[in-house]
Amino acid sequence: MLAATCACKNTKNQQENVQCGGPGIGIDLDAVEALSLPPLEDEVERDDFYVGLPEGWKVMSNEEYCLIVYKGTIEEDYLDGRAVHLVTVPADGVTPAGAIQEMVAGSNATAGEDVTIGATTYKTCTYVEDGRLMLLLVTKYIDKLIKIGVEGTDASDPEVRAIVLSMRLY
């Protein structure tokens, strides 16, 4: 059972966050998938979103618009393992399909099939960065684009799915 229910309180003032979760973002408690994923052992709460992490996942980088979490080892700036890049940016009129089109046009990315995780469908593309194959998942929630980069694995990885399903936007 995923234990991410406490993430809907803002830690700064302990008030309920009315924009927490929502249709298609975060755990759909009625989804059978959520019950079959690994439990969350740790969490990261930022001003803009919350995310839970399965056992063994650590924070690699936590910047204004981007959180990178990983499971594996890092030696001399080389990651041996898996990573998930979680980015939230203002949509500013850009659609998920438009964001993927920009990637395809600008970085030799290849558009992929849509991926559904929980109740959310993501537009996708793949590209190579620093010699590693990356999968980019993009969706929109209210006025934000959510971009999720996956490296060292794919969107069917149960731990990656648990991370994505745990995400709550503020």
Side-chain angles (χ1 to χ4, degrees), residues 36-101:
S36 65
L37 296 175
L40 302 174
E41 302 288 332
D42 203 358
E43 60 186 31
V44 178
E45 188 160 359
R46 301 162 36 109
D47 287 341
D48 53 343
F49 67 84
Y50 159 94
V51 68
L53 303 175
E55 183 178 357
W57 285 79
K58 302 173 194 135
V59 174
M60 179 187 302
S61 177
N62 192 354
E63 298 176 12
E64 184 178 359
Y65 291 112
C66 181
L67 170 69
I68 302 173
V69 296
Y70 75 100
K71 185 174 184 178
T73 58
I74 299 175
E75 292 184 28
E76 297 180 22
D77 294 332
Y78 176 78
L79 170 65
D80 183 17
R82 301 172 283 165
V84 176
H85 306 236
L86 301 155
V87 178
T88 60
V89 293
D92 292 334
V94 177
T95 65
I100 293 298
Q101 254 181 343

Side-chain angles (χ1 to χ4, degrees), residues 81-162:
R82 301 172 283 165
V84 176
H85 306 236
L86 301 155
V87 178
T88 60
V89 293
D92 292 334
V94 177
T95 65
I100 293 298
Q101 254 181 343
E102 287 177 23
M103 285 293 297
V104 169
S107 66
N108 294 323
T110 303
E113 297 292 320
D114 290 355
V115 168
T116 300
I117 300 177
T120 303
T121 299
Y122 296 84
K123 297 292 183 186
T124 72
C125 69
T126 56
Y127 59 98
V128 176
E129 184 176 297
D130 296 330
R132 289 183 59 113
L133 183 64
M134 297 283 295
L135 168 67
L136 178 64
L137 307 164
V138 182
T139 194
K140 184 176 176 184
Y141 179 70
I142 305 177
D143 60 348
K144 293 182 183 180
L145 278 182
I146 297 108
K147 299 178 178 182
I148 302 170
V150 179
E151 67 176 287
T153 188
D154 59 34
S156 66
D157 183 321
E159 291 184 337
V160 169
R161 293 176 84 80

